[in-house]
Amino acid sequence: MKKLMLSLAVMLAGLVLYAQAPEILSSRHAMLRLDVKDKYLLIPVQESESISSVKVIVSGEQKQAFNIRLASSKVDYFVPLDIQRFGSDKIVLDFSIRKEGLTSEALKDYVCWWEIRQDDNFDTANRERFRPVYHHTPVYGWMNDPNGMFYKDGLYHLYYQWNPYGSQWENMTWGHSVSHDLIHWDAMPAAIEPDALGTIFSGSCVVDLANTSGQGRGTVAALFTSAGTNQTQSLAFSGDDGKSFVKYASNPVITSDIKDFRDPKAFWNQEIGKWNLILAAGDEMRIYSSPDLVSWKYESSFGKGYGEHSGVWECPDLFKLNVRGTDRQLWMLVCNTNGIPSGGSGTQYFIGSFDGHEFRTDQKETLWMDYGKDHYATVTFDNAPGGRRIAMAWMSNWQYAGVVPTMQFRSANSIPRDLDIFEHDGRYYCGVTPSTEMSALRGRKVKNPSETCEIVVDLKGNAEIVLSNPKGEKIVMEYDPKAGTFSMDRTLSGDTSFHKDFPAKTVAPVHGTLKQLRIFVDKCSIEVFDADGKMAMTNLVFPSEPYSTIKAKGGRATVYSIEQ
Ligand code: FRU
């Protein structure tokens, strides 16, 4: 009986939708002609499906194009396409399905044709057990690198690599969020969308305080990679403080024959009275200069013979930092790279000098800003107040980011961290300290850890800290003063089965003596900091229930609630 009712319901739904039923033009080609009634078309996605290309056509003209994994047999979730933005009451969706062996009959039976529907609302209420509480996440869809971060007039802006049409990497668009305190983020409409030059890869924003571009004092300019025929660098201006951008008419502004040529990070260099820009070119960085953000002059390359080169270099940054306890400043070049010895993605850095033309270092060691597995694409805010250098990272790893056990959204950013430089045994290192804004979250002392908390551990020497739940799932952290290392083992932390590279033990060198640790837990992440800012380690975990016990052998643990 139930079955009968269900098939009747499905048939009725089919009848209701009949006016918008698909035209199956071939085994790889379908069309949907829509009378636009509501704001959104809700499109069903099945993550295991192959990719289809969709064109939105109005009066024979293509208005938008994107890729999507159309649901064939089961709906994992819906994504919204704003169909009112085209300003027409009739639009056509043209689907090109890339799937071997598909027949017209099978395409006609795709469950998506039954389930696709118009609605004035898209339900963004959180459905995820593992969605962090005090970390930035996209409301829905896939996210990777933080992009274009800047501060202006009391607001921090965070853009990010976003797929608005699924929770796996695709359709790179700049999503946008804003915050007064780097912790509570409000989602904004997408800021920069793909165009004929390509999808929008990573890049940066600057606040043009001196109006060098002629676009007006305080104009926000974005420099990003157009990923099209090849990777080129494009420019866009915002006259409304970063809400929307108008692309520069003569894009691209920087081109090259190099295949991997991307992620421009621009900044004003007071010392030369010009803009500088650093971008990733293969496994090197290239540095440029410009008087006006439009015309760029190649200055030099950096990288040969320095650091880790197993994979391409990505997402650079370059800035001056204070050396702790001195009045000296040094430059730091940040270089995110994939394919590192400890597995997948990581952020290395170089400390040296920069004269606006060339970056120089005599650093011999390869150094990492964070020794966990889930800290990548780290870049810093432009124009941050009080001379602060605030960094945020994408809290995942290219090895498994697409299959972590969340679906409504994928990936979060790290907590904000303030950077500086410290000296130890005659060498310089990057200091990483949770931004002061994090202290406002610290609530009252509580007995046991929970799924969102901060744990402070005072250490006297050798220590073993175990965070566990009643299921026996645990994270084991060890401090070995003799070896000068801190480690975190997540092999038994919960669900690790979704990827062979997820179970892991990560090890960090500690520079000096660890006296106190700050451990931030937020649903699916553990970020550990030396309270003196000399070691950071970020790892994801997916326990089947929250860790509720902490045992600190050789140390004293105090647990604080998080007060939002
Ligand atoms: C780094 C990266 C960048 C690129 C972006 C594409 O994670 O590969 O180099 O611009 O992601 O989404």
Side-chain angles (χ1 to χ4, degrees):
M1 187 62 184
K2 235 187 184 169
K3 247 189 175 168
L4 186 71
M5 298 278 284
L6 200 71
S7 22
L8 265 174
V10 169
M11 268 168 67
L12 272 174
L15 283 179
V16 173
L17 281 183
Y18 186 73
Q20 298 179 359
E23 292 169 30
I24 306 296
L25 308 180
S26 80
S27 60
R28 301 173 157 263
H29 193 184
M31 260 186 192
L32 213 52
R33 292 179 200 277
L34 297 182
D35 291 320
V36 176
K37 294 193 193 84
D38 297 329
K39 182 160 172 61
Y40 299 114
L41 181 69
L42 303 182
I43 314 178
V45 173
Q46 183 173 350
E47 289 215 329
S48 57
E49 258 309 333
S50 57
I51 288 193
S52 301
S53 310
V54 186
K55 288 184 212 158
V56 182
I57 301 169
V58 178
S59 307
E61 251 182 66
Q62 180 177 313
K63 295 290 183 189
Q64 193 185 342
F66 59 94
N67 295 331
I68 193 163
R69 296 174 189 272
L70 276 184
S72 63
S73 59
K74 125 173 189 284
V75 181
D76 287 328
Y77 48 83
F78 290 84
V79 290
L81 172 70
D82 180 349
I83 46 177
Q84 281 183 352
R85 68 187 299 194
F86 307 108
S88 166
D89 54 7
K90 289 204 184 300
I91 66 168
V92 176
L93 260 59
D94 179 282
F95 297 89
S96 153
I97 289 103
R98 291 184 234 144
K99 190 173 179 180
E100 285 309 310
L102 188 66
T103 62
S104 307
E105 284 67 38
L107 178 55
K108 203 165 151 201
D109 281 347
Y110 263 35
V111 70
C112 66
W113 310 129
W114 300 98
E115 296 276 349
I116 200 163
R117 63 171 194 271
Q118 294 189 35
D119 206 313
D120 271 328
N121 297 301
F122 173 60
D123 181 9
T124 55
N126 181 42
R127 297 190 295 275
E128 295 282 356
R129 188 157 69 86
F130 288 119
R131 190 188 287 269
V133 169
Y134 56 89
H135 288 76
H136 173 257
T137 53
V139 172
Y140 71 98
W142 163 275
M143 175 178 83
N144 56 295
D145 316 354
N147 293 152
M149 300 192 296
F150 73 93
Y151 172 87
K152 193 176 179 227
D153 301 332
L155 258 197
Y156 289 94
H157 292 256
L158 162 62
Y159 303 85
Y160 51 89
Q161 289 285 280
W162 187 42
N163 180 6
Y165 304 112
S167 298
Q168 288 173 335
W169 187 90
E170 200 68 46
N171 304 310
M172 281 301 111
T173 299
W174 275 28
H176 183 200
S177 298
V178 293
S179 171
H180 288 281
D181 62 2
L182 294 163
I183 291 158
H184 300 88
W185 293 96
D186 291 327
M188 304 287 285
I192 310 183
E193 295 182 88
D195 59 27
L197 291 183
T199 49
I200 313 299
F201 274 18
S202 288
S204 54
C205 281
V206 290
V207 184
D208 186 6
L209 295 170
N211 192 21
T212 62
S213 61
Q215 300 288 320
R217 205 168 285 279
T219 291
V220 176
L223 282 136
F224 55 88
T225 302
S226 293
T229 310
N230 58 4
Q231 298 182 345
T232 59
Q233 317 315 316
S234 290
L235 172 65
F237 292 108
S238 173
D240 59 5
D241 287 343
K243 278 197 211 79
S244 63
F245 286 84
V246 176
K247 288 174 187 134
Y248 175 60
S250 301
N251 277 336
V253 293
I254 305 177
T255 61
S256 162
D257 272 341
I258 297 169
K259 181 171 152 276
D260 291 299
F261 186 69
R262 56 178 181 260
D263 310 341
K265 172 79 188 193
F267 58 96
W268 177 252
N269 190 340
Q270 193 63 45
E271 284 157 29
I272 56 166
K274 277 189 190 156
W275 298 98
N276 274 128
L277 178 150
I278 180 166
L279 56 75
D283 66 342
E284 281 183 24
M285 296 303 180
R286 288 198 166 190
I287 294 168
Y288 297 78
S289 65
S290 169
D292 57 7
L293 294 165
V294 174
S295 57
W296 291 96
K297 175 175 169 246
Y298 169 73
E299 295 282 355
S300 64
S301 294
F302 170 79
K304 256 200 188 89
Y306 292 95
E308 177 58 49
H309 286 265
S310 320
V312 288
W313 285 16
E314 300 184 315
C315 302
D317 204 342
L318 182 57
F319 42 81
K320 213 157 57 169
L321 284 177
N322 294 326
V323 181
R324 208 179 278 187
T326 75
D327 52 10
R328 268 176 304 135
Q329 293 195 311
L330 289 169
W331 284 80
M332 179 179 293
L333 190 154
V334 174
C335 166
N336 292 279
T337 184
N338 247 318
I340 66 173
S342 60
S345 317
T347 305
Q348 62 178 333
Y349 64 88
F350 304 92
I351 294 174
S353 63
F354 179 59
D355 60 3
H357 307 284
E358 220 177 310
F359 176 80
R360 290 199 181 86
T361 180
D362 50 17
Q363 180 182 311
K364 300 279 179 307
E365 288 168 275
T366 302
L367 299 173
W368 303 96
M369 195 181 281
D370 184 295
Y371 283 82
K373 270 187 83 88
D374 299 297
H375 179 274
Y376 195 57
T378 318
V379 281
T380 64
F381 281 85
D382 185 68
N383 200 37
R388 289 173 67 184
R389 191 46 70 174
I390 310 163
M392 280 173 80
W394 173 49
M395 207 160 43
S396 197
N397 190 313
W398 279 115
Q399 285 180 324
Y400 44 72
V403 294
V404 295
T406 63
M407 250 197 197
Q408 185 186 21
F409 79 102
R410 269 211 186 81
S411 297
N413 292 109
S414 72
I415 58 166
R417 299 144 185 228
D418 278 48
L419 305 182
D420 71 347
I421 290 174
F422 68 92
E423 203 177 343
H424 176 71
D425 277 351
R427 294 204 182 121
Y428 293 113
Y429 299 94
C430 179
V432 183
T433 308
S435 296
T436 47
E437 284 80 356
M438 293 305 299
S439 307
L441 284 185
R442 196 187 268 187
R444 62 212 151 75
K445 277 188 197 169
V446 289
K447 198 156 167 265
N448 294 313
S450 64
E451 56 189 352
T452 54
C453 61
E454 183 189 346
I455 306 168
V456 174
V457 184
D458 292 299
L459 300 165
K460 285 186 248 55
N462 251 17
E464 185 193 67
I465 303 149
V466 181
L467 200 51
S468 62
N469 67 15
K471 292 264 167 65
E473 296 165 349
K474 58 181 179 180
I475 299 160
V476 181
M477 292 170 263
E478 284 173 327
Y479 171 45
D480 182 344
K482 214 153 144 225
T485 57
F486 173 83
S487 65
M488 192 192 314
D489 188 339
R490 70 172 177 196
T491 49
L492 301 173
S493 59
D495 184 2
T496 60
S497 63
F498 49 87
H499 196 278
K500 67 171 179 36
D501 292 318
F502 191 79
K505 177 176 172 178
T506 54
V507 185
V510 296
H511 303 293
T513 311
L514 270 186
K515 290 191 234 67
Q516 189 182 70
L517 292 171
R518 292 180 72 185
I519 306 174
F520 291 90
V521 182
D522 193 2
K523 299 278 181 98
C524 65
S525 62
I526 311 280
E527 287 160 284
V528 184
F529 299 88
D530 166 8
D532 284 338
K534 295 183 177 175
M535 188 275 305
M537 185 177 283
T538 303
N539 283 315
L540 294 179
V541 287
F542 297 96
S544 59
E545 56 182 87
Y547 305 120
S548 48
T549 305
I550 181 133
K551 290 222 166 82
K553 229 190 276 163
R556 191 168 47 87
T558 313
V559 185
Y560 295 92
S561 64
I562 292 283
E563 302 297 336
Q564 278 281 79

